[in-house]
Amino acid sequence: MTQFTARTAQHFLAIKAARELKKEIEQAGMENLKLLAENNVSIVGTYLNGCSPKRKAEIKRDLTALLAMGVTSDMILEEVARQMPDLAPIMAGREAYKKSELQNLEGFLKQA
Amino acid sequence: MASQTEVLKALHEKDGPIKSPDLARGLKTSDDTIRALISKLKKKALVDGDAKEGWYITDAGIKILEAGESIPTTITDVGEDELSKFKYYGQLAGAKPDDIAAASELFQNSDMRIMAEVERVLAETNVPITSRTRWINLYRGYLRNTTPPEIRDELYPLPPTPEARRVPAGEGATGIEEVTRGERLDYIVEGNEVHRVGDSLGEFNFKQALQVVAAKRGSAPKAEADGSLTGTLNAFAEALKSTSPSQPLTVQDVLNIINTMKENSGEGSAPGYVDEDGDWHELKPGQPVILKRSAQSPSTGKTLVIKQTPEGIVTEEHQAGSPIIINANPPPANTAMPATAMPPMMPFPVIGSDGTPVVDRDGHPVYANIEPMLKWLGFQSEQRRADERHQMLMGLGQTVRENLGDGVQALVAAAKEAQGQKKTGASAQETPTTPQIFECGDCKTRFTIPQEDFVQVKCPNPKCGRTWTREEVMKV
């Protein structure tokens, strides 16, 4: 029972995080993201480097809290892909790119 | 001891006659006293009766009692002996009953027919001089009347009259010697008061008595070589000589005393002067007094100059006539003065509302220390500048935040850049590339870099020949 509740909470949290991420992606434009992915430019790294330190701290706090509650980056990306079907063709066949993006995100969370 | 009034009251209270023993028991006194009092009352017709039938009060006695009067002592009440007469004359002289009783006790132990003893007794009992003199004169008259005329003047001579006392010796033809109050030993001193006890009955004359009193008070006047007094006291004593010792002072006597003292004091107030040492010198008539104004010697006081030196405050003696140099140079930097301390303040005179300098009570100008005010104004300016700088930094930060792009814009910019590179790559394949021109930082000679990868490039100017690395070139 408890595990079910925890999984439900993780699911809702992943949905909420993916919704916030979707807003950001939609502002950037799908074409731009596709162009960056085709040029092997890290979307995560570009986004985080463009954020202000305050915004970086907020993102790190939220992601750390999600990770502490068991919501991993994979779960968020899966939820983003589910909510944005247009993104699926971009990511298709780019496992190495996806893996490097996840590593960038983990590296960001591990930064002091 | 019962009195005549008490006996009369006792008789009035009884309806019938009363015998003497009954009265004595009722009044708790002796039979002899009652008989003596009854005898006196009978002579005054206040009582009547006899020893066998008893005594009763008369109508005259009843009137006296109803009137509340006391029965006066008359000559008939007094016995013929000296003591009774002495007491009676004391009452007539107005002496107090206590003085009469005390003098009577002493009088019984003396020779009551010697006037010197009478005066001594009265002096010892301190009977007032007025009643004492009258008492002595009355008793002297009694003694003279009971003395044969042949020896009357010899034993009890009459005192000289006041007029005879004032007649100086040699001028009077009566042969009465001159007697003054100040020359006879008529006075004694009790405490700090002088009392006259009678003619030649005292221990001092008047001058000596005054000297004794003054000595006791600690203000004894200096006596001259011959023993006479000086000053105001002497004038007072001399003035008293003109008065009668046996008569009270009148207004005229007082005026005479004052005039005499003024005349005497006028002799001692000779003109004189006091020298620098405070000594008084008498001026003789016609002797001039020369006032000399001595030239004022130059002031020997020293003028001290206080200087603020790096070693501290130094006080130096200023020589008269030499200038005073004020060194207004700021202290050297290596002094102990803190960096934030202000240089020493110069005197800042206070100017009043009328534009004139303000002076103190001594007339010296008043200087104001405005250093704290300057420090406060400096502090306020510093605070204002700090606030403005803070506001500026806050505005700049706000501007940076507003202009700073977020992650989305970074993605858009990165996409545009990637798209541009993609277009550049396509056009590069179509058009020949234009080599980028660089300029040497030393000799300003323009040169290009090779198309292929290079590690370093050399300035083409042979005079310069500087070698630039790839990193240095790419930084430009």
Side-chain angles (χ1 to χ4, degrees):
Chain A
M1 188 66 179
T2 304
Q3 293 179 353
F4 174 75
T5 305
R7 284 201 303 270
T8 304
Q10 291 173 358
H11 180 65
F12 281 109
L13 289 175
I15 292 173
K16 184 175 178 60
R19 190 176 298 160
E20 295 294 329
L21 194 57
K22 179 185 174 184
K23 290 180 182 178
E24 299 290 327
I25 293 172
E26 286 176 351
Q27 287 181 2
M30 191 61 68
E31 294 298 327
N32 293 330
L33 296 180
K34 183 178 179 181
L35 184 60
L36 291 175
E38 288 175 353
N39 288 281
N40 291 325
V41 176
S42 173
I43 297 174
V44 173
T46 303
Y47 179 81
L48 293 176
N49 289 333
C51 289
S52 63
K54 181 181 178 182
R55 180 59 181 163
K56 281 183 180 178
E58 292 175 358
I59 293 172
K60 181 181 290 185
R61 182 192 60 199
D62 294 342
L63 292 179
T64 304
L66 290 172
L67 192 61
M69 299 180 70
V71 181
T72 62
S73 301
D74 296 340
M75 297 169 62
I76 296 174
L77 287 179
E78 287 177 359
E79 183 62 25
V80 169
R82 190 185 65 82
Q83 292 182 9
M84 300 181 69
D86 299 338
L87 199 60
I90 300 174
M91 299 305 231
R94 294 182 173 272
E95 296 299 330
Y97 182 76
K98 288 167 54 178
K99 188 176 180 180
S100 64
E101 289 291 278
L102 291 175
Q103 290 176 351
N104 289 335
L105 193 59
E106 292 174 358
F108 169 72
L109 294 176
K110 291 179 181 177
Q111 289 178 359
Chain B
M1 183 177 178
S3 64
Q4 297 180 39
T5 305
E6 291 175 348
V7 173
L8 205 60
K9 287 180 180 178
L11 293 174
H12 184 59
E13 292 174 355
K14 302 295 182 181
D15 295 335
I18 304 174
K19 294 184 178 179
S20 298
D22 297 335
L23 281 175
R25 283 193 295 270
L27 297 176
K28 297 180 180 179
T29 184
S30 63
D31 293 344
D32 296 337
T33 301
I34 293 299
R35 277 194 294 270
L37 293 175
I38 288 292
S39 176
K40 294 176 182 178
L41 290 172
K42 189 177 182 180
K43 290 178 181 177
K44 298 175 184 176
L46 299 178
V47 297
D48 199 1
D50 54 27
K52 292 182 180 179
E53 299 295 334
W55 304 98
Y56 56 91
I57 187 171
T58 61
D59 294 338
I62 293 174
K63 288 182 180 179
I64 291 178
L65 289 180
E66 289 176 353
E69 299 175 355
S70 60
I71 300 172
T73 301
T74 61
I75 190 64
T76 56
D77 300 331
V78 182
E80 296 300 327
D81 59 304
E82 285 80 6
L83 181 58
S84 298
K85 293 294 183 182
F86 182 78
K87 292 179 181 178
Y88 175 64
Y89 292 136
Q91 292 179 2
L92 290 181
K96 297 178 181 178
D98 295 341
D99 293 340
I100 295 174
S104 299
E105 291 296 326
L106 288 176
F107 190 67
Q108 295 179 62
N109 299 324
S110 63
D111 190 345
M112 292 181 284
R113 293 197 65 85
I114 298 177
M115 284 305 299
E117 287 293 305
V118 175
E119 293 177 352
R120 182 187 63 80
V121 167
L122 295 180
E124 290 179 354
T125 51
N126 284 333
V127 176
I129 190 63
T130 53
S131 58
R132 186 193 310 176
T133 304
R134 190 180 303 168
W135 196 347
I136 291 173
N137 292 333
L138 288 173
Y139 191 72
R140 183 188 292 111
Y142 161 73
L143 293 179
R144 283 175 62 86
N145 291 334
T146 56
T147 304
E150 297 79 15
I151 57 174
R152 183 179 299 169
D153 292 333
E154 182 182 354
L155 295 178
Y156 309 107
L158 292 174
T161 59
E163 291 76 11
R165 290 171 183 268
R166 292 176 181 174
V167 176
E171 294 181 359
T174 59
I176 302 175
E177 62 178 355
E178 179 192 12
V179 180
T180 62
R181 177 179 292 186
E183 295 177 351
R184 295 188 308 188
L185 301 179
D186 296 345
Y187 301 91
I188 62 173
V189 175
E190 290 182 356
N192 288 333
E193 296 180 354
V194 177
H195 297 284
R196 185 176 184 275
V197 296
D199 293 342
S200 301
L201 295 178
E203 299 175 350
F204 312 103
N205 58 26
F206 187 66
K207 294 178 184 178
Q208 295 170 346
L210 291 176
Q211 282 183 315
V212 172
V213 172
K216 286 185 176 181
R217 291 178 178 175
S219 59
K222 293 181 179 179
E224 295 181 352
D226 57 353
S228 61
L229 299 176
T230 59
T232 306
L233 187 59
N234 185 23
F236 182 72
E238 293 296 328
L240 282 179
K241 290 180 179 179
S242 62
T243 62
S244 174
S246 61
Q247 290 183 348
L249 291 177
T250 62
V251 177
Q252 187 61 39
D253 293 336
V254 175
L255 292 176
N256 293 336
I257 291 173
I258 294 174
N259 293 330
T260 305
M261 292 176 66
K262 282 183 177 180
E263 292 175 0
N264 294 335
S265 61
E267 296 175 359
S269 60
Y273 65 94
V274 180
D275 60 4
E276 296 178 350
D277 298 331
D279 298 332
W280 186 86
H281 299 280
E282 182 178 357
L283 280 175
K284 297 179 180 178
Q287 180 180 357
V289 178
I290 302 173
L291 299 178
K292 293 182 179 179
R293 177 174 294 177
S294 60
Q296 189 173 3
S297 61
S299 176
T300 57
K302 298 178 180 179
T303 302
L304 301 178
V305 178
I306 301 176
K307 293 181 179 180
Q308 176 77 38
T309 63
E311 290 78 14
I313 297 176
V314 178
T315 302
E316 297 179 353
E317 183 178 352
H318 174 67
Q319 299 295 332
S322 63
I324 299 176
I325 301 174
I326 300 175
N327 186 9
N329 293 331
N334 56 356
T335 57
M337 182 180 294
T340 57
M342 299 180 66
M345 286 292 300
M346 295 298 290
F348 193 85
V350 179
I351 306 298
S353 59
D354 55 352
T356 57
V358 178
V359 296
D360 58 4
R361 288 181 295 182
D362 299 332
H364 303 302
V366 177
Y367 295 98
N369 183 14
I370 61 173
E371 186 172 359
M373 177 65 72
L374 295 178
K375 286 184 177 179
W376 169 246
L377 293 176
F379 171 74
Q380 284 186 320
S381 300
E382 196 70 25
Q383 286 294 108
R384 186 168 58 251
R385 281 195 292 270
D387 291 341
E388 291 175 353
R389 183 171 180 273
H390 176 70
Q391 293 294 337
M392 184 194 68
L393 291 177
M394 292 296 292
L396 182 60
Q398 184 67 23
T399 303
V400 170
R401 276 196 298 273
E402 291 175 355
N403 297 327
L404 189 63
D406 55 1
V408 175
Q409 292 177 349
L411 290 175
V412 173
K416 288 181 178 178
E417 184 179 358
Q419 189 175 8
Q421 288 179 357
K422 197 173 184 180
K423 289 181 178 179
T424 302
S427 61
Q429 293 177 357
E430 296 173 356
T431 59
T433 58
T434 303
Q436 191 172 4
I437 300 173
F438 295 88
E439 184 179 85
C440 179
D442 294 343
C443 62
K444 308 299 181 184
T445 303
R446 294 177 178 242
F447 62 91
T448 59
I449 56 174
Q451 294 295 326
E452 62 275 9
D453 293 338
F454 63 96
V455 179
Q456 59 184 11
V457 60
K458 189 176 182 181
C459 179
N461 188 356
K463 294 181 179 179
C464 178
R466 174 167 179 176
T467 301
W468 298 86
T469 62
R470 179 183 174 87
E471 290 74 16
E472 291 175 343
V473 173
M474 289 294 114
K475 283 183 178 178
V476 179

